[in-house]
Amino acid sequence: VFLVEESDARGAIAPRRSDTHKGSYGHVLVVAGSHGKSGAAAMSALGALRGGAGLVTVATRSEVVESVLGHTPEVMGWPLENRGPLGMADLEPLLAAADKKDVLVVGPGIPRGEETVKLLGTLLSRVEAPAVLDADALNAVATDLEVLRRAKGPLVLTPHPGEMSRLTGVPTKDLQKARVEVARDFARTHGVTLVLKGARTLVAHHDGSVYVNPTGNPGMATGGMGDVLSGLLGALLGQGLKLPEAAWTAVYAHGLSGDLMVARRGRLGLIATDVAKGLCNVWTRWNR
Amino acid sequence: VFLVEESDARGAIAPRRSDTHKGSYGHVLVVAGSHGKSGAAAMSALGALRGGAGLVTVATRSEVVESVLGHTPEVMGWPLENRGPLGMADLEPLLAAADKKDVLVVGPGIPRGEETVKLLGTLLSRVEAPAVLDADALNAVATDLEVLRRAKGPLVLTPHPGEMSRLTGVPTKDLQKARVEVARDFARTHGVTLVLKGARTLVAHHDGSVYVNPTGNPGMATGGMGDVLSGLLGALLGQGLKLPEAAWTAVYAHGLSGDLMVARRGRLGLIATDVAKGLCNVWTRWNR
Amino acid sequence: VFLVEESDARGAIAPRRSDTHKGSYGHVLVVAGSHGKSGAAAMSALGALRGGAGLVTVATRSEVVESVLGHTPEVMGWPLENRGPLGMADLEPLLAAADKKDVLVVGPGIPRGEETVKLLGTLLSRVEAPAVLDADALNAVATDLEVLRRAKGPLVLTPHPGEMSRLTGVPTKDLQKARVEVARDFARTHGVTLVLKGARTLVAHHDGSVYVNPTGNPGMATGGMGDVLSGLLGALLGQGLKLPEAAWTAVYAHGLSGDLMVARRGRLGLIATDVAKGLCNVWTRWNR
Amino acid sequence: VFLVEESDARGAIAPRRSDTHKGSYGHVLVVAGSHGKSGAAAMSALGALRGGAGLVTVATRSEVVESVLGHTPEVMGWPLENRGPLGMADLEPLLAAADKKDVLVVGPGIPRGEETVKLLGTLLSRVEAPAVLDADALNAVATDLEVLRRAKGPLVLTPHPGEMSRLTGVPTKDLQKARVEVARDFARTHGVTLVLKGARTLVAHHDGSVYVNPTGNPGMATGGMGDVLSGLLGALLGQGLKLPEAAWTAVYAHGLSGDLMVARRGRLGLIATDVAKGLCNVWTRWNR
């Protein structure tokens, strides 16, 4: 079990070379959002942009595309023309959306239904890019963990303890007493990288290594923080960081942004977009 | 009659423990907003978020859900699919929305009609969580005060003098001459906590205790300030503060935020979202 | 011809008394906006809010109500359910909207058609509150100046030289050579207060007095500045300032806000909402 | 080949005279945006506004007009009532939109189809104002370069290397090895000004002169930066700068804004609207 140090996280991100362009920093596809949860997509996309992504496209139900874009004009929308929960009818549009993307972030605020797990399983089995599974993508995958094994590219899962409980069947209370063991076991068994969120977020890789994150604070215990993290993690993968480094670097930077914001603005009123916007404080501190 | 002091308000909010998560700080359900008054819902939700709520969901007419979320992506929407004024057809959707919520904030900008009072009465009689009634929820309830007695959970009402006049039948002028008495009498008679807003906001509890708030200023005499207060009060209740402490703490913090902002930006141009955003100055000052 | 001095403008706004509430500072009705020009309504409403209005309601085509509110949640919307240019079918809805309002601001971005002048004439003949006519309300009124005489309440017109040319038939070039005379003559003839915008904005009152404004700068030569001014002027009228004081105070404060912003941010990139938000610098400087 | 120096760029923008108005600084027509790419239009319009344009109108599909305006209320919308890709059915509406405009910016996020090149060719052959062609307007024009010769007014094209490759048929790799020659040749052959973006952006004019820009940094390698540049360039043309000065001044200021922002906020999290908003730092530094 490794403790992530600031020099590790800083060192994982290479300084930018001058002869680069937006294509050098990755195109992130965020599959997220629905009517009433458009903000989740917007926050994940913002996390990706503020995390250095070259381009960010959000694939979401057509009716909320403009709502998502309304928060951040730098984001592009990929309208999914069907209605209702994500299902097999969305496969072709999502495969088209995923074409030439460097990384997928799937889950924040998606409309989930019975077919969602089958859709995600098929999608992941046909896309080579690394994928971050978060929020309702985790809840969907929990119903059939075989989809993890069938994924063509590397997978990162970012559950909070409640979602981890659904993934493993272990009650949250028990899980919290054996976080390292449960996380390591899951990562190994399913061949993924697992980010188990909470007071001391863990990153467990399928090679058995486990990383403990020292940053973050209880002011971050508020809605949307996870969406920002999944976007940031997608951005780092898109910039070429490998796993598990990308995961523990994202977690470290996300928590540090929260710590720097809280020092200035208190704990109680911190909200998720503060942490996304505050990432610039981390990059400045790291000269990145 | 007690004068609330800063140490009281600060002391009512416990420092956050590190082993907590968003579930520890409450899920606030805001029932608010309508076409033309979507901003009221947005401001109440923002007050809740900047007041430290773990999660905030706004139940509102489907047509304005995305407008409400457009202001603050951290907010989730619960679309109410009927049309027109809130009525009994909204009962089941609202009961579903209220499930597993820690507190309700009801009223800012709701579409009010004949059935609204019956709806609110039935809703409150079936929900155990504490509820804050504000704005048009007060005007609805004023037509049948029996709904207050039938409420299952603790109630806080936050009228300004005009709304208080409708609740009591006492002309505003007379009411303003006897604020303490009128407020205490109402709180006792109806078994609620009453926040009577105005130049010196009062909190009257059903046990007969009355609290006078010293913060706030006439720069805050502008639309939406009450919406922010109701959201903040909901956030504090959701974080486990009890009544009447939650009420006088919210009122104190809200007024202090306004005072700190006015010192920086003058009185005339202060607007409600300034006070919501400025809550971070209070939390920093209080180390919370 | 008087030169407005800072002490005059500052002195025209009384310090706020502590025993006041939002009703003390006026409810401004802004009649503005249309599809493609929703921003004009938003900027006028923002000018009113940042100018100290107690409440601001925007009456606008239903289809753009939420667009207008999307910029500033403190604003309320009054949906006008008809379609197309403003005409007599909008009279009753507008009379209802104007009920209990303290001041009207009419014109920014309204959909103008043949019937608009008749509508405005009838509306103004039946509303006692003072009214600010701006932008396309001026272009409508230019086709029948009799509507000015029939107005029940005091009127302020805020044309730029092009609009003044349409109001008077005097070519812009000639008009600019005789600004004082043209403005004074128009104000006297039509019994109004006239704000003739430009490099040195003039305020001419129907009593023959003329006031020259020394603030403002060419960085303010960009779209929307007039919308902010009309809202600010409405706010001051709603706070009880009389004419012509309200007019030259608004013009002075608006230009001073622009001057203070330009000193910080340069001329080229100044935009109208900067000046609206920057009003707080004026109020702080004036201790108001 | 000239290296642009700061004094050149600063000197190209005249200080503003006090006897000017919004008409003095040009009305920019931005033809941009579509469902899912409304942000591109918003960013280009913001670049124009923060670049000093007197007025900015965005012509875009009616369904996204309000989305575009939602980002910046100072922008006006010109709804294009047809549906689908831009084609000949949009000619008359666009000619009407272009009437009395001082400059056109065409391309960011437009819906492109088979007829788009014909539409653009016809439009440009009938409009005298200078035009900036960017993004998908370049991809359309690449299919028939004859449209460049038929343009009535001066043209500036702003391709990144991928778009330049499509314009010339030269593979990106080869093109990047001979940037000066390829750019100069294209500008001469087609009688245009060419802005070839990249690590050292070049401006090539049809008289054979080539200008190298020294500002900018790899933090700007993220989506939307080009949209902001095209809007800024439109604003400078609208303010009366001539070609090629307008082009290398815009490129210099855009890069300098990025450099100043990166010094404050790091590279990784820089986004396009930061650079648009940050133009004020350039104007302040240049006393413009």
Side-chain angles (χ1 to χ4, degrees):
Chain A
V1 177
F2 303 93
L3 178 72
V4 184
E5 297 186 44
E6 186 163 5
S7 57
D8 300 331
R10 179 181 187 275
I13 301 174
R16 292 197 162 189
R17 291 173 43 185
S18 66
D19 59 339
T20 50
H21 54 88
K22 63 190 173 191
S24 313
Y25 300 108
H27 193 160
V28 180
L29 177 70
V30 178
V31 181
S34 55
H35 183 52
K37 293 193 176 171
S38 53
M43 290 186 286
S44 193
L46 185 66
L49 274 170
R50 292 294 186 185
L55 289 168
V56 179
T57 293
V58 174
T60 195
R61 286 279 170 252
S62 187
E63 60 181 338
V64 293
V65 161
E66 296 300 320
S67 300
V68 172
L69 271 55
H71 294 282
T72 316
E74 287 86 353
V75 177
M76 292 175 289
W78 187 282
L80 299 175
E81 301 295 346
N82 297 310
R83 299 208 152 244
L86 289 182
M88 291 306 289
D90 297 300
L91 180 62
E92 290 308 320
L94 281 174
L95 284 170
D99 186 43
K100 294 186 192 157
K101 299 303 183 295
D102 299 287
V103 56
L104 270 63
V105 176
V106 185
I110 52 169
R112 186 162 58 96
E114 279 188 21
E115 271 193 5
T116 307
V117 62
K118 187 174 174 195
L119 168 74
L120 295 182
T122 314
L123 178 69
L124 295 173
S125 73
R126 291 172 61 178
V127 171
E128 276 184 49
V132 181
L133 303 188
D134 188 29
D136 263 347
L138 298 172
N139 294 328
V141 160
T143 64
D144 178 11
L145 290 173
E146 279 311 296
V147 306
L148 301 178
R149 273 282 163 214
R150 283 161 44 211
K152 208 169 183 181
L155 288 188
V156 197
L157 281 67
T158 57
H160 57 58
E163 290 157 349
M164 189 65 188
S165 173
R166 282 187 284 278
L167 283 169
T168 57
V170 179
T172 309
K173 217 170 193 175
D174 300 344
L175 185 155
Q176 288 293 74
K177 286 182 197 147
R179 286 167 60 87
V180 169
E181 294 71 20
V182 173
R184 178 186 279 147
D185 187 51
F186 189 93
R188 269 187 177 145
T189 307
H190 298 286
V192 300
T193 305
L194 185 92
V195 177
L196 179 53
K197 296 183 287 196
R200 282 282 166 269
T201 293
L202 295 179
V203 174
H205 194 53
H206 52 68
D207 66 2
S209 60
V210 175
Y211 307 80
V212 182
N213 182 60
T215 60
N217 64 77
M220 298 173 75
T222 181
M225 291 290 173
D227 303 327
V228 171
L229 175 63
S230 64
L232 169 59
L233 175 43
L236 295 187
L237 287 165
Q239 287 168 82
L241 276 75
K242 300 298 174 201
L243 288 168
E245 287 85 346
W248 49 254
T249 301
V251 169
Y252 192 99
H254 182 256
L256 180 55
S257 175
D259 292 345
L260 296 172
M261 289 302 280
V262 155
R264 296 178 190 185
R265 309 181 53 160
R267 261 168 238 103
L268 229 64
L270 192 74
I271 63 177
T273 46
D274 293 339
V275 170
K277 292 173 194 163
L279 285 169
C280 64
N281 300 318
V282 177
W283 311 141
T284 310
R285 179 173 163 132
W286 290 358
N287 193 25
R288 288 298 185 271
Chain B
V1 177
F2 302 93
L3 178 72
V4 183
E5 297 187 44
E6 186 163 5
S7 57
D8 300 331
R10 178 181 188 275
I13 300 173
R16 292 198 161 187
R17 291 173 40 185
S18 65
D19 60 340
T20 50
H21 53 88
K22 63 189 172 191
S24 313
Y25 300 108
H27 192 161
V28 180
L29 178 70
V30 179
V31 181
S34 55
H35 183 53
K37 292 192 176 170
S38 53
M43 290 185 286
S44 193
L46 184 65
L49 275 170
R50 292 294 185 184
L55 289 168
V56 179
T57 293
V58 174
T60 195
R61 286 279 169 253
S62 188
E63 59 181 338
V64 293
V65 160
E66 296 301 318
S67 299
V68 172
L69 271 55
H71 295 284
T72 316
E74 288 86 352
V75 176
M76 291 175 290
W78 186 282
L80 299 175
E81 300 296 347
N82 298 309
R83 299 209 151 243
L86 289 183
M88 291 306 289
D90 298 300
L91 180 62
E92 290 307 321
L94 281 175
L95 284 170
D99 186 41
K100 294 184 191 159
K101 299 302 184 295
D102 299 288
V103 55
L104 270 63
V105 176
V106 185
I110 52 169
R112 186 163 57 97
E114 280 187 19
E115 268 192 7
T116 306
V117 62
K118 189 174 172 194
L119 167 74
L120 295 182
T122 314
L123 179 68
L124 295 172
S125 73
R126 291 173 61 179
V127 171
E128 275 184 51
V132 181
L133 303 187
D134 187 31
D136 264 347
L138 298 173
N139 295 328
V141 160
T143 64
D144 178 11
L145 291 173
E146 280 310 296
V147 306
L148 301 178
R149 273 282 163 215
R150 284 161 43 212
K152 209 168 180 180
L155 289 187
V156 197
L157 282 67
T158 58
H160 58 57
E163 291 158 347
M164 189 65 188
S165 173
R166 281 188 284 276
L167 283 169
T168 57
V170 179
T172 308
K173 217 171 193 174
D174 301 344
L175 186 154
Q176 287 293 73
K177 286 181 195 147
R179 286 167 58 89
V180 170
E181 294 72 21
V182 173
R184 178 187 279 147
D185 187 51
F186 190 93
R188 268 186 178 147
T189 306
H190 299 286
V192 300
T193 305
L194 186 93
V195 177
L196 178 54
K197 295 184 287 196
R200 283 282 166 270
T201 294
L202 295 180
V203 174
H205 194 52
H206 51 68
D207 65 3
S209 61
V210 175
Y211 307 80
V212 182
N213 182 60
T215 61
N217 64 76
M220 299 173 74
T222 181
M225 290 289 173
D227 303 326
V228 171
L229 175 63
S230 65
L232 169 59
L233 176 42
L236 295 186
L237 287 165
Q239 285 168 83
L241 276 75
K242 300 298 172 198
L243 290 168
E245 287 84 346
W248 48 254
T249 301
V251 169
Y252 193 100
H254 181 257
L256 180 54
S257 175
D259 293 344
L260 296 171
M261 289 302 280
V262 155
R264 296 178 191 185
R265 309 181 55 161
R267 261 168 238 102
L268 230 66
L270 193 73
I271 64 177
T273 46
D274 293 339
V275 169
K277 291 173 195 162
L279 284 169
C280 65
N281 300 317
V282 176
W283 311 141
T284 309
R285 178 172 162 133
W286 290 358
N287 193 26
R288 288 298 183 272
Chain C
V1 177
F2 302 93
L3 178 72
V4 183
E5 297 187 44
E6 186 164 5
S7 58
D8 300 330
R10 179 180 186 275
I13 300 174
R16 292 198 161 187
R17 291 173 41 185
S18 66
D19 60 339
T20 51
H21 54 89
K22 64 189 172 191
S24 312
Y25 300 108
H27 193 159
V28 180
L29 178 70
V30 178
V31 181
S34 55
H35 183 53
K37 292 193 177 172
S38 54
M43 291 186 285
S44 193
L46 185 65
L49 274 170
R50 292 294 186 185
L55 289 168
V56 179
T57 293
V58 174
T60 195
R61 286 279 170 254
S62 187
E63 61 181 337
V64 293
V65 160
E66 296 300 320
S67 300
V68 173
L69 271 55
H71 294 283
T72 317
E74 288 85 353
V75 176
M76 291 175 290
W78 187 282
L80 298 175
E81 300 295 346
N82 297 309
R83 299 209 152 243
L86 289 183
M88 291 306 288
D90 296 301
L91 180 63
E92 290 307 322
L94 282 175
L95 283 170
D99 186 42
K100 295 185 191 157
K101 300 302 185 295
D102 299 288
V103 55
L104 271 63
V105 176
V106 185
I110 52 169
R112 187 162 58 97
E114 279 188 20
E115 269 192 6
T116 307
V117 62
K118 189 175 172 194
L119 167 74
L120 295 182
T122 314
L123 178 69
L124 295 173
S125 73
R126 289 172 63 177
V127 171
E128 276 185 49
V132 181
L133 303 187
D134 187 31
D136 263 347
L138 298 172
N139 294 329
V141 159
T143 63
D144 178 11
L145 291 172
E146 280 309 296
V147 305
L148 301 178
R149 274 283 164 214
R150 283 161 45 211
K152 208 169 181 181
L155 288 188
V156 196
L157 282 67
T158 58
H160 58 57
E163 290 157 348
M164 190 66 188
S165 174
R166 282 188 284 278
L167 283 169
T168 57
V170 179
T172 307
K173 216 170 194 174
D174 300 345
L175 185 156
Q176 287 293 74
K177 286 182 195 148
R179 286 168 59 87
V180 170
E181 294 71 20
V182 172
R184 179 187 278 147
D185 187 51
F186 188 93
R188 268 187 178 147
T189 306
H190 299 285
V192 300
T193 305
L194 186 93
V195 176
L196 178 53
K197 296 184 286 196
R200 283 280 166 271
T201 294
L202 295 179
V203 174
H205 194 53
H206 52 68
D207 66 4
S209 59
V210 175
Y211 306 80
V212 182
N213 182 59
T215 61
N217 63 77
M220 298 172 75
T222 181
M225 291 289 174
D227 303 327
V228 171
L229 175 63
S230 65
L232 169 59
L233 175 43
L236 296 186
L237 287 165
Q239 286 168 84
L241 276 74
K242 299 299 173 199
L243 291 167
E245 287 85 345
W248 48 254
T249 301
V251 169
Y252 193 100
H254 182 256
L256 179 55
S257 175
D259 293 344
L260 296 171
M261 289 303 279
V262 156
R264 296 178 192 185
R265 308 179 56 161
R267 260 168 239 104
L268 229 67
L270 192 73
I271 64 176
T273 47
D274 293 339
V275 170
K277 292 173 194 163
L279 285 169
C280 65
N281 300 318
V282 177
W283 312 140
T284 309
R285 178 173 163 132
W286 290 359
N287 193 25
R288 288 298 184 273
Chain D
V1 177
F2 303 93
L3 178 72
V4 183
E5 298 187 43
E6 187 164 4
S7 58
D8 300 331
R10 179 180 187 276
I13 300 174
R16 293 198 161 188
R17 290 173 42 185
S18 66
D19 60 338
T20 50
H21 54 89
K22 63 189 171 190
S24 313
Y25 300 108
H27 193 159
V28 181
L29 178 70
V30 179
V31 181
S34 55
H35 182 53
K37 292 192 176 172
S38 53
M43 290 186 286
S44 193
L46 185 65
L49 274 170
R50 292 294 185 185
L55 289 168
V56 179
T57 292
V58 174
T60 195
R61 286 277 170 255
S62 187
E63 60 181 337
V64 293
V65 160
E66 297 300 319
S67 300
V68 173
L69 272 55
H71 294 283
T72 317
E74 288 84 354
V75 177
M76 291 174 290
W78 187 282
L80 299 175
E81 299 295 346
N82 297 310
R83 300 208 151 243
L86 289 182
M88 291 307 287
D90 297 300
L91 180 62
E92 290 307 321
L94 280 175
L95 284 170
D99 186 43
K100 294 186 191 157
K101 300 303 184 294
D102 299 288
V103 56
L104 270 62
V105 176
V106 185
I110 52 169
R112 186 163 58 98
E114 280 188 20
E115 270 192 5
T116 306
V117 62
K118 188 174 174 196
L119 168 75
L120 295 183
T122 314
L123 178 69
L124 295 172
S125 72
R126 291 173 62 178
V127 170
E128 277 185 48
V132 181
L133 303 187
D134 188 30
D136 263 346
L138 298 172
N139 294 328
V141 160
T143 64
D144 179 11
L145 290 173
E146 280 311 296
V147 305
L148 301 178
R149 272 282 163 215
R150 284 162 44 212
K152 209 169 180 182
L155 288 189
V156 196
L157 281 66
T158 58
H160 58 58
E163 290 158 347
M164 190 66 188
S165 173
R166 282 187 284 278
L167 283 169
T168 57
V170 179
T172 309
K173 218 170 191 174
D174 300 344
L175 185 155
Q176 287 293 75
K177 286 182 197 148
R179 285 166 60 87
V180 169
E181 295 69 22
V182 173
R184 179 187 277 146
D185 187 52
F186 189 93
R188 268 187 177 147
T189 307
H190 299 284
V192 301
T193 305
L194 186 93
V195 176
L196 178 54
K197 296 184 287 195
R200 284 280 166 270
T201 294
L202 296 179
V203 174
H205 194 53
H206 52 69
D207 65 3
S209 61
V210 175
Y211 307 80
V212 182
N213 182 60
T215 60
N217 64 77
M220 299 173 74
T222 181
M225 290 289 172
D227 303 326
V228 171
L229 175 64
S230 65
L232 169 59
L233 175 44
L236 295 187
L237 287 165
Q239 286 168 84
L241 275 75
K242 300 298 173 201
L243 289 167
E245 287 85 345
W248 48 254
T249 301
V251 169
Y252 192 100
H254 182 256
L256 179 55
S257 175
D259 292 344
L260 296 172
M261 289 303 280
V262 155
R264 296 177 191 187
R265 308 180 54 161
R267 259 167 239 103
L268 228 66
L270 193 73
I271 63 177
T273 46
D274 293 339
V275 170
K277 291 173 194 164
L279 285 169
C280 64
N281 300 319
V282 178
W283 311 141
T284 309
R285 178 174 163 129
W286 290 358
N287 192 25
R288 289 297 184 274

